[in-house]
Amino acid sequence: MTSAVPKPPLSEKSLLLLLAAVQFTHIMDFMIMMPLGPQLMRELKIDPQQFGALISSFAITSGIVGLAMAPFADRFDRRKLLLFCYAGFTLGTLACGLCDTAAKLFWARAVCGAFGGVSGATIMAIVSDVVPPERRAQGMGIIMTAFSAAAALGVPFGLKIAQWWKWEAPFLIVAAVATVVWIGLHRILPPVRGHLSGEKVRSGKDFLDLLKNGNAWTGLALMVAMIFGHFTIIPYLSPYLVGNIGLPESSLFLVYLTGGMVTIFTGPFIGKLADRHGRFLLYACLITAACVVIRLLTSSGPLPLWQTLLLAALFFTCASGRFIPGQATISMAVPSSRRGAYMSLVACSRDLASGLTAALGGMIISKTPDGRLLDFDKLGWIAIGVSVFSLWIFRQVKSAE
């Protein structure tokens, strides 16, 4: 057993791009639900609260399974764990594409969440193991670019396919892409066992020690705050744009295309700036800009298309970009030997928080007969308040590396 992470037979950047491809399918699977909101509510005959439950099923099961898995995450080769969980995620996505009722879709989304959350946490653990702290934010920026690619390429394409054919089609396509990526992982991804060196991990005792780590809890609190500051409005953004802003449903893909194309370039750039000028400085700048954009976006009436696309581009850049310095800082809160368990807890907190915010949004907003969403601005104020509070939490996270 070696004392360090084995050097992969491919470059660090190539390894990050491979992991980004996995993350692309995760995010594509999760994101496509939200712009499909108007179509799903119409074709499955569900209301905003039931739609929120569909989104929450993925997030909540992801959090529960992630919590159950956390004590054991550092006992395995991260490559084997990722391959197993990613296979389960792929099958769950295939099941989504074969559903014909809201109830079946609810349980299929739960299966996706159960496997997707653990595989996503494993990706972050691998990145944290392989990329040194001085380049960590840049590495996270490459992984986060998967979000941009999913928004710019996957979501618009998925929306068009759903409009041309049926809502199940995007899930079948994601399942096919994930199958190809899984084969690539199996053939290319090297073992990641560096965390297994030294003292043997004792699942129960070491996990309890992790739970007693105040710095680890501060990192979890930062993740929860970032999710509340972002995901409070995300699930209902598409119905709001269509019902309140006046964006034609056929033009929804332009919002995600514009925002995604912009963040493909800004994501890695934000990572480089965070490594060069400090993660907190970049985080504070992004939070400030995000709060302004959220306020404008959630309180607007009908807007011309160009203004809607401009706000969307700014929202994607600032609101999503905050996760790059934030995730890099969180990854340093514990030593490498406990990182797998910790990143599972981080993913658990992220998913439970996103599930709670989706459910919270469903309780606050309501839909009028003509399709408008009421009280969406209240969700915006919640997002702004928690975002500002996250600045204080960020400063409390200490590096354990």
Side-chain angles (χ1 to χ4, degrees):
M1 190 174 295
T2 58
S3 59
V5 175
K7 184 178 180 180
L10 67 166
S11 68
E12 179 183 290
K13 185 173 183 180
S14 298
L15 178 62
L16 289 172
L17 290 175
L18 177 63
L19 296 176
V22 179
Q23 197 75 329
F24 170 85
T25 57
H26 285 157
I27 297 168
M28 177 64 182
D29 176 272
F30 185 65
M31 282 186 64
I32 195 62
M33 281 291 294
M34 289 172 279
L36 285 177
Q39 187 175 358
L40 286 172
M41 284 190 279
R42 181 176 63 252
E43 296 190 13
L44 296 180
K45 296 179 175 58
I46 57 177
D47 56 30
Q49 288 72 30
Q50 292 170 310
F51 176 63
L54 288 176
I55 296 176
S56 297
S57 65
F58 180 104
I60 291 176
T61 55
S62 178
I64 293 173
V65 174
L67 181 61
M69 182 63 196
F72 311 100
D74 290 311
R75 300 186 64 180
F76 304 101
D77 179 346
R78 302 207 199 282
R79 175 184 182 273
K80 293 180 179 179
L81 182 60
L82 178 58
L83 286 171
F84 174 77
C85 292
Y86 192 48
F89 164 81
T90 303
L91 292 175
T93 303
L94 176 62
C96 291
L98 300 177
C99 291
D100 55 6
T101 66
K104 291 179 182 178
L105 183 59
F106 177 90
W107 291 110
R109 298 306 296 157
V111 171
C112 287
F115 288 100
V118 177
S119 58
T122 305
I123 288 174
M124 292 304 180
I126 292 174
V127 173
S128 301
D129 285 349
V130 172
V131 182
E134 61 270 17
R135 296 198 306 276
R136 185 73 52 77
Q138 186 175 350
M140 292 294 180
I142 293 176
I143 298 298
M144 291 295 293
T145 302
F147 177 92
S148 307
L153 304 174
V155 172
F157 178 71
L159 272 172
K160 280 300 180 183
I161 290 295
Q163 291 166 0
W164 291 334
W165 189 13
K166 55 182 181 178
W167 64 262
E168 297 96 327
F171 296 105
L172 297 176
I173 293 174
V174 173
V177 173
T179 300
V180 175
V181 174
W182 188 94
I183 294 172
L185 275 178
H186 186 268
R187 292 172 59 90
I188 299 174
L189 183 66
V192 184
R193 304 191 185 102
H195 61 288
L196 298 175
S197 62
E199 184 181 355
K200 184 179 180 180
V201 176
R202 298 161 296 178
S203 301
K205 182 179 183 303
D206 290 334
F207 186 64
L208 289 176
D209 290 341
L210 178 62
L211 293 180
K212 296 176 184 177
N213 186 330
N215 194 52
W217 280 102
T218 305
L220 296 178
L222 176 59
M223 175 54 73
V224 171
M226 288 194 297
I227 289 296
F228 263 82
H230 180 69
F231 206 75
T232 304
I233 63 174
I234 280 288
Y236 305 98
L237 183 59
S238 293
Y240 176 77
L241 291 176
V242 173
N244 297 58
I245 299 296
L247 183 71
E249 188 175 328
S250 60
S251 299
L252 266 178
F253 79 99
L254 291 174
V255 172
Y256 294 89
L257 177 64
T258 302
M261 288 297 294
V262 170
T263 50
I264 283 177
F265 300 100
T266 59
F269 183 63
I270 288 171
K272 290 180 180 179
L273 290 178
D275 286 330
R276 182 177 304 171
H277 300 291
R279 291 180 293 275
F280 179 74
L281 176 61
L282 258 294
Y283 185 79
C285 292
L286 290 167
I287 286 292
T288 301
C291 288
V292 174
V293 175
I294 288 172
R295 178 56 188 158
L296 291 174
L297 190 60
T298 58
S299 61
S300 296
L303 294 174
L305 179 61
W306 73 269
Q307 289 186 15
T308 303
L309 297 181
L310 176 61
L311 284 175
L314 293 172
F315 177 75
F316 274 82
T317 299
C318 301
S320 303
R322 76 178 88 176
F323 284 91
I324 295 172
Q327 186 76 61
T329 297
I330 291 170
S331 73
M332 301 178 190
V334 300
S336 174
S337 61
R338 302 294 177 266
R339 187 171 289 134
Y342 184 59
M343 296 311 287
S344 291
L345 286 177
V346 171
C348 172
S349 65
R350 177 198 66 207
D351 295 330
L352 288 176
S354 60
L356 289 173
T357 54
L360 175 66
M363 290 187 290
I364 291 177
I365 64 172
S366 58
K367 188 177 181 181
T368 63
D370 61 357
R372 291 187 305 111
L373 295 186
L374 302 179
D375 297 323
F376 192 70
D377 59 321
K378 294 181 180 178
L379 299 185
W381 281 117
I382 292 173
I384 291 171
V386 178
S387 295
V388 172
F389 182 64
S390 73
L391 290 169
W392 178 82
I393 301 176
F394 193 107
R395 296 291 283 177
Q396 310 309 310
V397 182
K398 310 300 179 185
S399 176
E401 297 188 9

